[in-house]
Amino acid sequence: MTPVHFSFSSAFILGLMGLTFHRTHLLSALLCLEGMMLSLFIALALWTLQFEMTGFSAAPMLLLAFSACEASAGLALLVATARTHGTDRLQNLNLLQC
Amino acid sequence: MTYLVSLLLIALIVGLVAVASNPAPYFAALGLVVAAGVGCGVLISHGGSFLSLVLFLIYLGGMLVVFAYSAALAAEPFPESWGDRSVLGYVVIYFVGVGLMMKFFCGGWYEGSWMIIDTFKEFSMLRGDISGVAMMYSLGGSMLVICAWVLLLTLFVVLELTRGLSRGSLRAV
């Protein structure tokens, strides 16, 4: 595996592990999701540049647009959580806990 | 030049380890800023100057600024930085994990993978990536319209999610 390929793959996996494992804040999970989107943007853009497929360079732009939508939806849910529970700590989201 | 690209790739991994190791969200946003900056450097060194500019403007200047403002919702009296015990444990685990994966996937490490997209191919004045993005306005016009529609829809989604006093989509808010 070449260094460039390895670095954005491991960046994606690091973001995924950061999203999966024990968090304190909901905002940390959203930032890990943004890290994953960053690694995907870099991956698609490097695919375009290394294979010289210039028509594919619209794909990272569209990915960025959809990732902006997803980030704004996540932040709206964060604001809603902060309004109802007072904070965004994940320990407080325990109404359904048995 | 190869050393510069290697330094940028290492800084990308270090930045994402800084995000994934669960510090306070202020520091995680800082790690993401560093990672996006060096990601732009990696794209520039492969010749994608327009995509790097888009990443800087839209991602760093748009989305991460909004995340930095939202970090005020996650305010703590004693924010955990990367020197604190629990965060440092995660940092060490993630670096060891990346090192192990590097040992595992080191086949073909030194093969030629660094190509710069050429300005002078086909006698064009523009680089490849910006002329490719210009295709989004001509042949990919339908995808552009769909993207704009989805962004407008997201605006209304956010409005309905945060409309308070049970008038929106969430009864509790």
Side-chain angles (χ1 to χ4, degrees):
Chain A
M1 194 184 279
T2 54
V4 174
H5 188 187
F6 174 77
S7 68
F8 65 71
S9 302
S10 65
F12 182 81
I13 290 176
L14 280 172
L16 187 61
M17 288 171 66
L19 180 62
T20 321
F21 293 143
H22 178 68
R23 306 274 100 199
T24 37
H25 288 280
L26 186 61
L27 188 58
S28 307
L30 291 178
L31 283 169
C32 286
L33 204 59
E34 286 308 304
M36 286 164 67
M37 285 296 146
L38 173 72
S39 72
L40 283 176
F41 181 91
I42 290 174
L44 285 180
L46 284 174
W47 193 338
T48 311
L49 297 169
Q50 287 188 344
F51 287 128
E52 300 189 2
M53 306 191 307
T54 54
F56 193 64
S57 56
M61 308 271 294
L62 298 173
L63 173 77
L64 205 59
F66 287 117
S67 129
C69 298
E70 160 221 329
S72 58
L75 284 176
L77 287 173
L78 177 83
V79 164
T81 309
R83 275 194 197 163
T84 50
H85 297 267
T87 175
D88 68 333
R89 295 182 80 94
L90 291 171
Q91 302 159 351
N92 289 346
L93 303 175
N94 57 0
L95 286 179
L96 294 175
Q97 198 174 10
C98 54
Chain B
M1 191 65 183
T2 314
Y3 289 132
L4 180 65
V5 175
S6 303
L7 181 67
L8 294 176
L9 293 174
I10 290 171
L12 179 69
I13 295 182
V14 166
L16 280 214
V17 164
V19 175
S21 57
N22 196 14
Y26 309 116
F27 303 113
L30 200 64
L32 207 52
V33 166
V34 166
V38 297
C40 288
V42 168
L43 291 183
I44 287 173
S45 58
H46 281 83
S49 43
F50 182 72
L51 288 174
S52 163
L53 182 69
V54 161
L55 186 66
F56 248 118
L57 278 177
I58 309 302
Y59 190 85
L60 272 186
M63 289 157 59
L64 278 190
V65 164
V66 176
F67 271 97
Y69 286 146
S70 303
L73 287 171
E76 279 179 352
F78 301 105
E80 286 179 336
S81 170
W82 299 292
D84 294 334
R85 191 63 53 88
S86 58
V87 182
L88 199 59
Y90 275 113
V91 168
V92 165
I93 289 173
Y94 286 140
F95 272 128
V96 164
V98 168
L100 284 178
M101 278 173 52
M102 207 186 302
K103 288 289 177 207
F104 197 58
F105 286 113
C106 65
W109 192 261
Y110 296 108
E111 290 176 6
S113 70
W114 184 29
M115 303 171 56
I116 303 179
I117 197 167
D118 221 343
T119 331
F120 298 111
K121 257 188 198 175
E122 282 100 32
F123 304 110
S124 168
M125 278 293 290
L126 304 167
R127 278 200 182 255
D129 58 344
I130 188 169
S131 46
V133 171
M135 291 286 285
M136 201 166 70
Y137 289 91
S138 66
L139 288 178
S142 49
M143 200 60 208
L144 187 70
V145 168
I146 289 173
C147 239
W149 193 254
V150 163
L151 283 169
L152 184 65
L153 179 69
T154 307
L155 206 61
F156 287 112
V157 161
V158 166
L159 179 69
E160 289 300 322
L161 274 177
T162 53
R163 198 197 283 258
L165 299 177
S166 309
R167 287 193 298 251
S169 57
L170 292 171
R171 202 187 307 168
V173 181

